[in-house]
Amino acid sequence: MNEGVFFMKLLNVAGARPNFMKVAPIIEAIESYNNSNSKKIEQLLIHTGQHYDQNMSRLFFHELGIPEPYVNLEVGSASHAEQTAEIMKRFEKICVSERPTHILVVGDVNSTIACSLVASKLRISVIHVEAGLRSFDRSMPEEINRVLTDAISDILFTTEESAKENLCNEGKSEKNIYFVGNVMIDTLLKHKEKAKTSNVLNRIGLQGSRYALLTLHRPSNVDDKKIFTQILEALLLIGKDTPIIFPIHPRSLMKVIEYGLEKYFNWMLYERSFSVSGINENNRIIAIQPQGYLDFLQLLSNSVLVLTDSGGIQEETTVLGIPCVTLRENTERPITITKGTNVLAGTDRDNIVRAAASQLSSPKMNLVPPLWDGKASERIVDVLKCFIK
Ligand code: UD1
């Protein structure tokens, strides 16, 4: 570390797809702060390599203008324990050699908790962006990651007001909690116009068509054959009126093949097409490859309905005013329901069909939650500069 120039040395951690759109605006805001201030924040980006496919990782770096990581730990896929342990082993070495004063983690993936735990034990301050969200459902690995990361974080940045209450209930001190808004929405607002130049609608033959967009990858939804099938049965019914576009996550694709569920889909844009006996030409769940950020945003912005089990997409649909049906029993993002366009449908076939019909017929809403204004990263840097010594 160059003691004379840098007063805060920060390791920015990113590992999985939903992290990339969160770190991008933070890196940019720190860069812009450094350009006009003499007290600097030195930042190094560490990619854990939890996600590694072109479409799950590299494309996002390219499209969002994220600089090449300083280090890629290349941990790849494994069981939760193996993946978390491997990230910890490799990240500890970086912490020991780089001696940062702070690390910054975002979201709730395995990389988030693994790196926080390492830093905390080395007495490096942990900054958690998107702190305090709670589904109160410990069967979700992300909920465990969230609770544990917050417990050992020193600076907590929150996206919505419920988060502060959750953190205080868990004994965190109010003075370490900063309500700054939503960095994921910073990225969305920045790229909204550019996404309109994407030709993804033409490529899929959707120009001018009415369609719904689906994402589905939670272990609780796709790892259990009965639940996965039940959801697909609901989607087939919804698809009769409104075709459903499904950029399929690698985990879900693996399960489709393992359980022999290929017949539920029409496979488009796949290099290898599945030869499925008994495929119904009228199936309107159209599976496509995972999309990059801009193509996905274009698909999202033009859809009439979103069905999802993702966390971030509940927030993006809220800001875009697109009706969202969440295929889960709970959400850690309650503001998307109270102030947004989101409803919870769980995984019951009839509930999903009913929720979709009701969402499609309800008037378009456009209520943006407080501080989801594209300036969350600037507010984060405003706080961070107070910690520069
Ligand atoms: C992870 C996050 C989840 C997030 C999701 C977004 C955790 C606990 N979960 O889940 O919160 O919503 O990312 O995508 O951190 N795979 C590939 N290529 C890749 C990455 C994964 O083929 O680049 C496959 C592998 O078979 C892997 C499986 O997907 O075993 C699951 O990947 P993993 O990182 O374990 O969790 P996700 O389900 O992606």
Side-chain angles (χ1 to χ4, degrees), residues 342-356:
N342 190 20
V343 296
L344 293 178
T347 56
D348 176 75
R349 188 191 77 166
D350 295 344
N351 280 349
I352 298 172
V353 174
R354 256 196 309 271

PDB file of all heavy atoms in Angstrom, residues 342-356:
ATOM      1  N   ASN A 342     -45.113  -6.141  -7.220  1.00  0.00           N
ATOM      2  CA  ASN A 342     -44.866  -7.550  -6.975  1.00  0.00           C
ATOM      3  C   ASN A 342     -45.978  -8.234  -6.164  1.00  0.00           C
ATOM      4  O   ASN A 342     -46.517  -7.630  -5.252  1.00  0.00           O
ATOM      5  CB  ASN A 342     -43.536  -7.626  -6.184  1.00  0.00           C
ATOM      6  CG  ASN A 342     -43.003  -9.035  -6.058  1.00  0.00           C
ATOM      7  OD1 ASN A 342     -43.377  -9.918  -6.828  1.00  0.00           O
ATOM      8  ND2 ASN A 342     -42.124  -9.250  -5.097  1.00  0.00           N
ATOM      9  N   VAL A 343     -46.307  -9.482  -6.507  1.00  0.00           N
ATOM     10  CA  VAL A 343     -47.157 -10.310  -5.636  1.00  0.00           C
ATOM     11  C   VAL A 343     -46.484 -11.671  -5.442  1.00  0.00           C
ATOM     12  O   VAL A 343     -45.765 -12.142  -6.322  1.00  0.00           O
ATOM     13  CB  VAL A 343     -48.589 -10.547  -6.203  1.00  0.00           C
ATOM     14  CG1 VAL A 343     -49.372  -9.254  -6.321  1.00  0.00           C
ATOM     15  CG2 VAL A 343     -48.548 -11.275  -7.539  1.00  0.00           C
ATOM     16  N   LEU A 344     -46.737 -12.277  -4.288  1.00  0.00           N
ATOM     17  CA  LEU A 344     -46.177 -13.603  -4.009  1.00  0.00           C
ATOM     18  C   LEU A 344     -47.201 -14.658  -4.397  1.00  0.00           C
ATOM     19  O   LEU A 344     -48.357 -14.573  -3.980  1.00  0.00           O
ATOM     20  CB  LEU A 344     -45.885 -13.748  -2.506  1.00  0.00           C
ATOM     21  CG  LEU A 344     -44.784 -12.869  -1.927  1.00  0.00           C
ATOM     22  CD1 LEU A 344     -44.673 -13.103  -0.413  1.00  0.00           C
ATOM     23  CD2 LEU A 344     -43.455 -13.153  -2.606  1.00  0.00           C
ATOM     24  N   ALA A 345     -46.774 -15.649  -5.175  1.00  0.00           N
ATOM     25  CA  ALA A 345     -47.721 -16.694  -5.598  1.00  0.00           C
ATOM     26  C   ALA A 345     -47.333 -18.065  -5.077  1.00  0.00           C
ATOM     27  O   ALA A 345     -48.101 -19.018  -5.216  1.00  0.00           O
ATOM     28  CB  ALA A 345     -47.807 -16.725  -7.110  1.00  0.00           C
ATOM     29  N   GLY A 346     -46.148 -18.217  -4.508  1.00  0.00           N
ATOM     30  CA  GLY A 346     -45.705 -19.543  -4.067  1.00  0.00           C
ATOM     31  C   GLY A 346     -45.500 -20.461  -5.256  1.00  0.00           C
ATOM     32  O   GLY A 346     -45.192 -19.999  -6.374  1.00  0.00           O
ATOM     33  N   THR A 347     -45.723 -21.770  -5.036  1.00  0.00           N
ATOM     34  CA  THR A 347     -45.446 -22.727  -6.112  1.00  0.00           C
ATOM     35  C   THR A 347     -46.675 -23.574  -6.463  1.00  0.00           C
ATOM     36  O   THR A 347     -46.571 -24.517  -7.239  1.00  0.00           O
ATOM     37  CB  THR A 347     -44.289 -23.667  -5.703  1.00  0.00           C
ATOM     38  OG1 THR A 347     -44.637 -24.305  -4.469  1.00  0.00           O
ATOM     39  CG2 THR A 347     -42.990 -22.906  -5.528  1.00  0.00           C
ATOM     40  N   ASP A 348     -47.809 -23.247  -5.878  1.00  0.00           N
ATOM     41  CA  ASP A 348     -49.032 -23.991  -6.183  1.00  0.00           C
ATOM     42  C   ASP A 348     -49.548 -23.608  -7.585  1.00  0.00           C
ATOM     43  O   ASP A 348     -49.629 -22.418  -7.908  1.00  0.00           O
ATOM     44  CB  ASP A 348     -50.081 -23.667  -5.113  1.00  0.00           C
ATOM     45  CG  ASP A 348     -51.409 -24.321  -5.423  1.00  0.00           C
ATOM     46  OD1 ASP A 348     -51.505 -25.546  -5.218  1.00  0.00           O
ATOM     47  OD2 ASP A 348     -52.333 -23.620  -5.905  1.00  0.00           O
ATOM     48  N   ARG A 349     -49.897 -24.614  -8.379  1.00  0.00           N
ATOM     49  CA  ARG A 349     -50.274 -24.359  -9.771  1.00  0.00           C
ATOM     50  C   ARG A 349     -51.402 -23.331  -9.897  1.00  0.00           C
ATOM     51  O   ARG A 349     -51.287 -22.336 -10.615  1.00  0.00           O
ATOM     52  CB  ARG A 349     -50.705 -25.680 -10.442  1.00  0.00           C
ATOM     53  CG  ARG A 349     -50.926 -25.527 -11.924  1.00  0.00           C
ATOM     54  CD  ARG A 349     -51.586 -26.729 -12.540  1.00  0.00           C
ATOM     55  NE  ARG A 349     -53.027 -26.710 -12.208  1.00  0.00           N
ATOM     56  CZ  ARG A 349     -53.937 -27.459 -12.797  1.00  0.00           C
ATOM     57  NH1 ARG A 349     -53.575 -28.301 -13.731  1.00  0.00           N
ATOM     58  NH2 ARG A 349     -55.207 -27.389 -12.445  1.00  0.00           N
ATOM     59  N   ASP A 350     -52.479 -23.560  -9.153  1.00  0.00           N
ATOM     60  CA  ASP A 350     -53.642 -22.674  -9.314  1.00  0.00           C
ATOM     61  C   ASP A 350     -53.350 -21.265  -8.812  1.00  0.00           C
ATOM     62  O   ASP A 350     -53.803 -20.284  -9.395  1.00  0.00           O
ATOM     63  CB  ASP A 350     -54.865 -23.262  -8.596  1.00  0.00           C
ATOM     64  CG  ASP A 350     -55.284 -24.576  -9.252  1.00  0.00           C
ATOM     65  OD1 ASP A 350     -54.826 -24.832 -10.385  1.00  0.00           O
ATOM     66  OD2 ASP A 350     -56.038 -25.341  -8.625  1.00  0.00           O
ATOM     67  N   ASN A 351     -52.589 -21.180  -7.719  1.00  0.00           N
ATOM     68  CA  ASN A 351     -52.226 -19.841  -7.213  1.00  0.00           C
ATOM     69  C   ASN A 351     -51.427 -19.059  -8.248  1.00  0.00           C
ATOM     70  O   ASN A 351     -51.619 -17.855  -8.427  1.00  0.00           O
ATOM     71  CB  ASN A 351     -51.364 -19.948  -5.945  1.00  0.00           C
ATOM     72  CG  ASN A 351     -52.211 -20.219  -4.736  1.00  0.00           C
ATOM     73  OD1 ASN A 351     -53.435 -20.131  -4.804  1.00  0.00           O
ATOM     74  ND2 ASN A 351     -51.557 -20.557  -3.629  1.00  0.00           N
ATOM     75  N   ILE A 352     -50.507 -19.741  -8.906  1.00  0.00           N
ATOM     76  CA  ILE A 352     -49.665 -19.052  -9.897  1.00  0.00           C
ATOM     77  C   ILE A 352     -50.522 -18.559 -11.061  1.00  0.00           C
ATOM     78  O   ILE A 352     -50.429 -17.407 -11.492  1.00  0.00           O
ATOM     79  CB  ILE A 352     -48.528 -19.983 -10.425  1.00  0.00           C
ATOM     80  CG1 ILE A 352     -47.591 -20.388  -9.281  1.00  0.00           C
ATOM     81  CG2 ILE A 352     -47.748 -19.309 -11.556  1.00  0.00           C
ATOM     82  CD1 ILE A 352     -46.569 -21.454  -9.653  1.00  0.00           C
ATOM     83  N   VAL A 353     -51.413 -19.429 -11.534  1.00  0.00           N
ATOM     84  CA  VAL A 353     -52.263 -19.054 -12.670  1.00  0.00           C
ATOM     85  C   VAL A 353     -53.160 -17.875 -12.288  1.00  0.00           C
ATOM     86  O   VAL A 353     -53.303 -16.905 -13.041  1.00  0.00           O
ATOM     87  CB  VAL A 353     -53.112 -20.273 -13.138  1.00  0.00           C
ATOM     88  CG1 VAL A 353     -54.108 -19.866 -14.212  1.00  0.00           C
ATOM     89  CG2 VAL A 353     -52.187 -21.369 -13.665  1.00  0.00           C
ATOM     90  N   ARG A 354     -53.738 -17.948 -11.088  1.00  0.00           N
ATOM     91  CA  ARG A 354     -54.605 -16.847 -10.620  1.00  0.00           C
ATOM     92  C   ARG A 354     -53.832 -15.544 -10.497  1.00  0.00           C
ATOM     93  O   ARG A 354     -54.276 -14.486 -10.935  1.00  0.00           O
ATOM     94  CB  ARG A 354     -55.207 -17.197  -9.246  1.00  0.00           C
ATOM     95  CG  ARG A 354     -56.672 -17.622  -9.300  1.00  0.00           C
ATOM     96  CD  ARG A 354     -57.312 -17.582  -7.929  1.00  0.00           C
ATOM     97  NE  ARG A 354     -56.539 -18.309  -6.919  1.00  0.00           N
ATOM     98  CZ  ARG A 354     -56.687 -19.603  -6.642  1.00  0.00           C
ATOM     99  NH1 ARG A 354     -57.587 -20.314  -7.286  1.00  0.00           N
ATOM    100  NH2 ARG A 354     -55.966 -20.185  -5.714  1.00  0.00           N
ATOM    101  N   ALA A 355     -52.636 -15.628  -9.885  1.00  0.00           N
ATOM    102  CA  ALA A 355     -51.834 -14.414  -9.663  1.00  0.00           C
ATOM    103  C   ALA A 355     -51.455 -13.784 -11.007  1.00  0.00           C
ATOM    104  O   ALA A 355     -51.514 -12.554 -11.173  1.00  0.00           O
ATOM    105  CB  ALA A 355     -50.576 -14.750  -8.868  1.00  0.00           C
ATOM    106  N   ALA A 356     -51.108 -14.617 -11.977  1.00  0.00           N
ATOM    107  CA  ALA A 356     -50.706 -14.087 -13.285  1.00  0.00           C
ATOM    108  C   ALA A 356     -51.891 -13.381 -13.944  1.00  0.00           C
ATOM    109  O   ALA A 356     -51.760 -12.272 -14.472  1.00  0.00           O
ATOM    110  CB  ALA A 356     -50.191 -15.220 -14.176  1.00  0.00           C
TER     111      ALA A 356
END
